[in-house]
Amino acid sequence: MTQSGTYDVSYIAPSGCIYTDEISIALLPIGINDLMLENLRISPNPFTDLLQVKGLEKPMAYVLADIQGRILISGNLQSGDVINTSTLKSGY
């Protein structure tokens, strides 16, 4: 992923049930030089539990929020790190 948008998310529960939903991701430069984000890659799309982040030039903070702006996950990333979303409830 290299731009803001709506992405499909699929989760396969231990029972074998498959849940799908859409999430919106906004890449918002907040005091960050846009050139730092030029090589940013977030994959795979769609994903189930893990998002891999590559191409960051230096460590950055991130926030994953729902459509209503509630913060679901936040933290710090370096290039090559993974965001684990497996703790999110179905529907997020």
Side-chain angles (χ1 to χ4, degrees), residues 32-40 55 57:
I32 299 170
N33 182 341
D34 286 339
L35 294 176
M36 286 177 51
L37 300 177
E38 188 173 298
N39 296 317
L40 178 65
E57 293 181 13

Side-chain angles (χ1 to χ4, degrees), residues 4-88:
S4 299
T6 302
Y7 296 86
D8 293 323
V9 178
S10 297
Y11 171 73
I12 301 173
S15 65
C17 292
I18 300 173
Y19 300 94
T20 58
D21 205 347
E22 290 183 347
I23 63 169
S24 294
I25 296 180
L27 298 178
L28 304 172
I30 303 174
I32 299 170
N33 182 341
D34 286 339
L35 294 176
M36 286 177 51
L37 300 177
E38 188 173 298
N39 296 317
L40 178 65
R41 301 289 180 263
I42 301 174
S43 62
N45 179 24
F47 72 99
T48 52
D49 293 337
L50 303 174
L51 284 169
Q52 175 122 34
V53 180
K54 295 181 180 179
L56 292 175
E57 293 181 13
K58 62 182 183 178
M60 298 181 79
Y62 76 92
V63 174
L64 182 61
D66 68 11
I67 195 81
Q68 296 174 338
R70 292 180 296 224
I71 296 174
L72 304 175
I73 301 174
S74 64
N76 295 300
L77 290 173
Q78 297 185 52
S79 190
D81 280 355
V82 172
I83 299 172
N84 186 341
T85 62
S86 65
T87 60
L88 296 179

